[in-house]
Amino acid sequence: MWIWAMCLVSFGGFFGAICRFQLGSYLSRRFPSSIPYGTLTINLLGSFLIGILMKYHAYDNWKLLIGTGFMGAFTTFSTMNLECMKLLLAGQWKVLMLYTLLSYTGGILLTFIGYYI
């Protein structure tokens, strides 16, 4: 069982990381801005999708594959924090506050919406 769980998390994580890289790169090129729209969009989308996954009480294997593996690699808390630090060091306080506000409140709100739709 433990080996099977590791395989599910690894498989989901592989595709989640690729999707994050592709979508983040595309959005950053398409919408260049001081606000990192790529990471913001990925984290908000991931929040919404994890809400849906939890709503339907997915079986443990799906939770491992999609929730822990795919969503764990797709969303990125560490990248968001790095981008916040860069905005802070650049003195872009308003952008930092907006990005942080959108990330946290938007993420929680979209998880809630995903769970209750």
Side-chain angles (χ1 to χ4, degrees):
M1 180 63 188
W2 183 83
I3 295 293
W4 177 246
M6 293 296 110
C7 288
L8 289 173
V9 171
S10 299
F11 191 72
F14 175 78
F15 286 104
I18 290 172
C19 288
R20 174 165 56 99
F21 176 74
Q22 291 293 329
L23 183 60
S25 299
Y26 171 76
L27 291 173
S28 295
R29 283 192 314 271
R30 181 82 168 99
F31 305 103
S33 170
S34 55
I35 294 179
Y37 285 115
T39 304
L40 179 64
T41 302
I42 287 165
N43 285 338
L44 293 177
L45 179 61
S47 298
F48 178 70
L49 294 175
I50 200 80
I52 291 174
L53 182 70
M54 292 300 118
K55 174 186 178 178
Y56 291 105
H57 306 288
Y59 293 108
D60 288 342
N61 285 342
W62 285 107
K63 286 181 181 175
L64 289 172
L65 178 69
I66 305 295
T68 305
F70 186 87
M71 292 302 168
F74 183 67
T75 58
T76 174
F77 188 69
S78 59
T79 300
M80 187 195 90
N81 286 332
L82 176 64
E83 291 166 345
C84 285
M85 187 192 76
K86 288 179 179 177
L87 291 170
L88 179 69
L89 293 175
Q92 295 184 324
W93 291 96
K94 290 180 183 176
V95 176
L96 172 65
M97 297 300 289
L98 179 63
Y99 182 48
T100 304
L101 182 71
L102 287 173
S103 294
Y104 285 108
T105 57
I108 292 168
L109 180 64
L110 285 172
T111 302
F112 184 81
I113 290 170
Y115 190 83
Y116 284 103
I117 62 168

